[in-house]
Amino acid sequence: MVSEKIAQLINEQIAHEQYAAQYYLSMSAWFFAKDLDGIANYFRVQSKEELMHADKMFDYLNDVGGQIIIGEIAKPPHDFENAVDIFEKALEHEKKVTRSIFNIVKNANDEGDFATTSFLQWFINEQVEEEASASQYVTKIKMVCDNPSALYLFDQELSQRVFVPDTKA
Ligand SMILES: [Fe+2]
Ligand SMILES: [Fe+2]
């Protein structure tokens, strides 16, 4: 059984993940409008992954008997300065999500809620990967953004990304 406080934090995190999905979808739309369909695809897959994260938390909260309360999702921004701006915002957002997950882990630790800390271990590892790849893409987009041929290849590279659904038992 999960405490009300932890349940509330997880409910808030579900909303954060859903907001991230909307945010990335908005970024995806920006790139589609610029005919950079490969980069748009990358952000669309990001968006789907965030929804999967929300689902994982939804299932966990249900498993531990917490009350699931679906929160309000704010409208994400849609007018971005340029491609670099978007990748930088994506990295910033991942850092924010990491801090928020750490905060739940900290609270769960204080309560001796080892089920939640164990569950969130997956997310901690995921955030390490997310920040590493987001940071790498900031570097890459800065390298290619002023060179059409390089940007074309970068767009091709990102078109290869596919969504892999979570296969939890
Ligand atoms: Fe996430
Ligand atoms: Fe993420």
Side-chain angles (χ1 to χ4, degrees), residues 2 6 11 15 79 107 118:
V2 75
I6 298 297
N11 275 315
D79 49 351
N107 278 274
S118 167

Side-chain angles (χ1 to χ4, degrees), residues 17 19-30 40 42-48 50 76 86 89-94 97 130 134:
E17 300 290 340
Y19 176 77
Q22 295 288 83
Y23 200 12
Y24 288 142
L25 198 56
S26 185
M27 292 172 175
S28 174
W30 190 92
Y42 167 83
F43 280 105
R44 198 181 221 173
V45 171
Q46 273 295 103
S47 175
K48 286 179 183 168
E50 300 303 347
I86 293 185
K89 285 195 162 102
L91 173 60
E92 272 320 297
H93 196 73
E94 288 302 332
V97 168
E130 289 271 66

Side-chain angles (χ1 to χ4, degrees), residues 44-165:
R44 198 181 221 173
V45 171
Q46 273 295 103
S47 175
K48 286 179 183 168
E49 280 197 357
E50 300 303 347
L51 289 179
M52 181 188 85
H53 297 165
D55 276 354
K56 265 177 123 74
M57 290 180 180
F58 182 104
D59 289 340
Y60 174 73
L61 197 48
N62 184 49
D63 285 347
V64 293
Q67 188 188 4
I68 298 165
I69 300 167
I70 299 304
E72 200 171 356
I73 315 297
K75 182 182 173 186
H78 62 273
D79 49 351
F80 301 100
E81 266 176 53
N82 50 46
V84 172
D85 174 46
I86 293 185
F87 278 94
E88 284 178 339
K89 285 195 162 102
L91 173 60
E92 272 320 297
H93 196 73
E94 288 302 332
K95 287 181 177 173
K96 200 173 155 190
V97 168
T98 301
R99 286 196 294 275
S100 159
I101 287 168
F102 281 6
N103 181 51
I104 310 176
V105 174
K106 193 174 175 298
N107 278 274
N109 268 332
D110 290 348
E111 287 188 17
D113 179 351
F114 302 118
T116 297
T117 52
S118 167
F119 167 71
L120 288 175
Q121 194 60 51
W122 184 91
F123 284 90
I124 293 172
N125 297 337
E126 172 71 10
Q127 285 310 116
V128 171
E129 301 247 317
E130 289 271 66
E131 282 192 33
S133 70
S135 166
Q136 198 179 46
Y137 282 128
V138 168
T139 309
K140 283 190 178 183
I141 193 70
K142 282 180 180 168
M143 264 183 233
V144 303
C145 64
D146 295 326
N147 178 333
S149 324
L151 185 60
Y152 178 81
L153 289 175
F154 182 64
D155 187 64
Q156 290 283 97
E157 179 190 326
L158 268 56
S159 72
Q160 302 303 309
R161 189 175 182 205
V162 287
F163 175 65
V164 182

